[in-house]
Amino acid sequence: TSPWFIIFTGLSYVIYRFNATVNDTANNINSTSTRTVRIDTTAPSSIEFVSPTESDANNLSRSNIAVNVTASDNGVISAILIRLYNSTGDQINSSISATSPGFINFTGLADGLYKFNATVNDTANNQNSTPTRTVRIDTTFPLIDFGTGTESNNVIKSQTFVYVNVSVTETNEANITFRLFNSTSSVNITTYTT
């Protein structure tokens, strides 16, 4: 009695066709149409960032982030999804490509910390993802000015040292370098890392 069913198990990656045929006791025969199904249980074999994608932990002095991703699969790639997140982890932009490579240049970004990653889906919805990368955009130049006690310009001093004091305003300060020159060359270069 109806309904009848069968579950074919242990199938590997390949295209299969199936149908069913019924035969009654009077030898009347009828068949379903033949259907096709592709078995694909394998995630896309690769997804990776390629040039000109920003390096992880990179500091950028421009307001854009370029991301370029290649992916491959033994079936067919359905989509490459590239996501951009702000410093609190909220997704603020994304791009979908149906082919590899998938490229996006996220533009008009404010100073701050951003994260991005990519995921590839094949037509069976198997997925593979890149690691998440983090970049900092900082388009603001540091402010620097001489501070209290610094020698005035064009003075003559009766001493064997030169005192230099500076004030710096910068959120992402990496280092400060002091340079002392005489009339012919550099006498001293000292860099302090923050």
Side-chain angles (χ1 to χ4, degrees):
T1 62
S2 187
W4 290 92
F5 71 91
I6 187 168
I7 299 174
F8 299 102
T9 61
L11 303 177
S12 61
Y13 174 81
V14 72
I15 296 174
Y16 295 94
R17 291 174 183 78
F18 65 91
N19 66 16
T21 301
V22 62
N23 184 0
D24 68 14
T25 56
N27 206 26
N28 296 309
I29 299 172
N30 197 4
S31 296
T32 66
S33 62
T34 299
R35 294 185 177 182
T36 302
V37 64
R38 177 188 307 198
I39 302 296
D40 180 359
T41 60
T42 305
S45 57
S46 72
I47 181 171
E48 61 185 341
F49 294 118
V50 294
S51 181
T53 302
E54 313 301 346
S55 300
D56 191 30
N58 204 5
N59 293 308
L60 307 175
S61 58
R62 52 183 159 75
S63 62
N64 66 293
I65 298 173
V67 182
N68 195 20
V69 178
T70 60
S72 60
D73 184 60
N74 58 2
V76 177
I77 290 173
S78 177
I80 298 173
L81 174 61
I82 302 170
R83 294 182 179 101
L84 180 67
Y85 304 89
N86 63 15
S87 61
T88 61
D90 295 327
Q91 182 179 320
I92 59 169
N93 207 334
S94 65
S95 174
I96 295 177
S97 174
T99 60
S100 178
F103 175 81
I104 182 69
N105 187 17
F106 296 110
T107 60
L109 301 173
D111 284 6
L113 191 68
Y114 295 90
K115 296 181 180 193
F116 61 89
N117 58 31
T119 301
V120 60
N121 291 1
D122 64 16
T123 53
N125 207 28
N126 299 305
Q127 297 181 350
N128 197 351
S129 298
T130 64
T132 298
R133 290 189 178 181
T134 302
V135 295
R136 179 178 303 280
I137 290 181
D138 180 0
T139 60
T140 305
F141 285 94
L143 301 176
I144 187 168
D145 201 4
F146 289 115
T148 305
T150 300
E151 306 298 347
S152 298
N153 195 24
N154 292 320
V155 297
I156 299 172
K157 299 298 277 187
S158 177
Q159 60 193 35
T160 59
F161 65 91
V162 175
Y163 177 77
V164 180
N165 176 22
V166 294
S167 294
V168 174
T169 303
E170 172 57 43
T171 304
N172 304 308
E173 185 177 349
N175 62 59
I176 186 164
T177 301
F178 293 91
R179 291 179 176 86
L180 179 66
F181 302 89
N182 63 21
S183 62
T184 60
S185 65
S186 175
V187 174
N188 183 290
I189 298 175
T190 303
T191 299
Y192 296 102
T193 303
T194 57

